[in-house]
Amino acid sequence: GAGVSQSPRYKVAKRGQDVALRCDPISGHVSLFWYQQALGQGPEFLTYFQNEAQLDKSGLPSDRFFAERPEGSVSTLKIQRTQQEDSAVYLCASSFSYSGTEAFFGQGTRLTVV
Amino acid sequence: GQNIDQPTEMTATEGAIVQINCTYQTSGFNGLFWYQQHAGEAPTFLSYNVLDGLEEKGRFSSFLSRSKGYSYLLLKELQMKDSASYLCAVRDASGGSYIPTFGRGTSLIVHP
């Protein structure tokens, strides 16, 4: 595709509900990043993939958060038993090279947990 | 990990020049990025510095001093549309994963 695509753009979940957020990176991009951005803050790193391999998941805040990229393209970020503090914008970014010189971001999914 | 510091908010006048500073501490520096983010939108790439010096790109320039752990983004001939958040991000390759870590962002308000 022309850019990084994320869906849904907006998601309202009841506390305790499971959610799945999708990221379609730019075709051919090997690096994929997930970030969480709270209002008025910079993006906080969650996890990183190189092709299908999840090389770093140190930023995932709890074991309720899980990410996968099984075929090295589309990635899904899953949050189980959502809590109010999970409310944020979840940004996906992809990069052509392994060193990720320039990362392109999607518009994000705004998650609101009520 | 990285410790990235940038001012929270700045204001400037249309047509003027503004400099947004970013200081950082990192063990395996492998590049510094500047991104622009308008409210409700995705961050968009502005510049990348890995060597010391000034990189100029149109109205925007970015400077890096690795020995001082310091960068700045210079915006010239400010326009109203430049009102946005400017994010400084530093990449640390010490763990081999080349992950950019972002600062909190500087909210720039351009007024007539």
Side-chain angles (χ1 to χ4, degrees), chain B residues 9-32:
Chain B
E9 185 175 295
M10 300 181 70
T11 59
T13 305
E14 190 176 16
I17 299 173
V18 70
Q19 178 175 312
I20 303 174
N21 297 324
C22 173
T23 59
Y24 64 89
Q25 294 175 321
T26 185
S27 54
F29 178 81
N30 190 256
L32 185 143

Side-chain angles (χ1 to χ4, degrees), chain A residues 74-86:
Chain A
V74 172
S75 177
T76 304
L77 176 67
K78 298 179 179 178
I79 309 174
Q80 298 176 324
R81 305 181 302 281
T82 52
Q83 301 177 5
Q84 282 192 318
E85 60 262 30
D86 300 335

Side-chain angles (χ1 to χ4, degrees), chain A residues 2 4 12 19 21 23 26 35 48 69 74 79-80 89 104 106:
Chain A
V4 179
V12 178
V19 298
L21 313 180
C23 172
I26 294 172
Y35 288 86
Y48 164 69
R69 193 186 185 198
V74 172
I79 309 174
Q80 298 176 324
V89 175
F104 294 86

